[in-house]
């Protein structure tokens, strides 16, 4: 059995592959690097779930292979939930991680500490020939006043987890998986996906017999 991790973001891919690999046995995990014919997918949904489903549906239609994808948004309370679905392009089209971090710090320059609360949300979506499913993971934290840490990517240097007393960028990949929105979403979808895949395996065995 094969599953495609449907993302072009290599930083995100690193976390997804590591997390999914620990859950799957006997399944080959492919990436969009294995399918250069699949270009950038336009994510024009109004919610994270819609965007995640857009990606898995498109990649499944193009490859015919079961797919997993995610969409992630940072919601800052003082900014009325922004940047939300625009998280990756908060500073404009073609912006860098650094551009996004700088814009967010600038926009929150006058916001006092008690009001700097934020949450990261990830929606994981799966699709195969007969089934679609989604699951959500949320990480509660706050926006720090300056970048700290050398790990991770995106907004990790300024997303502070009170429970760990660290930003995501101060955590290695194993520690981040414990606290992160993406790690929680992956664990959540596994509760449904693993039994489904086992059922598919059993049906395949019967058909071959």
């Amino acid at each position: 059995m094969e599953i495609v991790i449907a993302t072009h973001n290599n930083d995100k891919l690193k976390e997804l592959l590591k997390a999914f690999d620990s859950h799957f046995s006997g399944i080959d995990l492919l990436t969009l690097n294995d399918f250069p014919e699949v270009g950038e997918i336009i994510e024009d949904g109004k919610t994270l779930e819609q965007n995640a489903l857009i990606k898995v549906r498109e990649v499944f239609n193009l490859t015919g292979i079961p797919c997993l994808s995610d969409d992630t948004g940072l919601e800052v309370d003082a900014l009325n939930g922004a940047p939300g679905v625009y998280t990756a392009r908060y500073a404009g089209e073609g912006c860098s991680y650094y551009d996004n971090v700088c814009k967010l710090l600038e926009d929150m320059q006058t916001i006092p500490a008690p009001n700097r609360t934020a949450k990261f949300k990830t929606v994981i979506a799966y699709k195969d020939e007969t089934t679609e499913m989604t699951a959500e993971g949320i990480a509660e934290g706050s926006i720090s006043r300056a970048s700290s840490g050398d790990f991770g990517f995106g907004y990790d240097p300024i997303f502070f987890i009170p429970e760990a007393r660290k930003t995501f960028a101060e955590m290695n990949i194993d520690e981040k998986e414990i606290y992160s929105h993406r790690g929680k979403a992956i664990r959540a979808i596994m509760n449904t996906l693993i039994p489904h895949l086992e059922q598919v395996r059993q049906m395949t065995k019967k058909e071959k017999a």
Side-chain angles (χ1 to χ4, degrees), residues 45-58:
K46 297 186 183 303
T47 67
L48 300 177
E49 182 177 44
Q50 288 174 0
N51 282 336
L53 286 169
I54 285 170
K55 283 184 278 191
V56 289
R57 288 167 181 167
E58 179 73 9

Side-chain angles (χ1 to χ4, degrees), residues 186-199:
I186 289 169
R187 290 191 288 276
I189 202 168
M190 286 300 106
N191 292 330
T192 307
L193 182 55
I194 289 178
H196 169 70
L197 294 177
E198 184 56 35
Q199 186 178 35

Side-chain angles (χ1 to χ4, degrees), residues 18 22 30 34-35 39 44 57 73 105-106 110 116 163 188-189:
K18 184 180 185 306
S22 65
L30 307 175
D34 297 302
F35 302 93
D44 54 3
R57 288 167 181 167
L105 289 178
E106 182 179 349
T110 62
R116 298 178 72 87
E163 185 181 355
I189 202 168

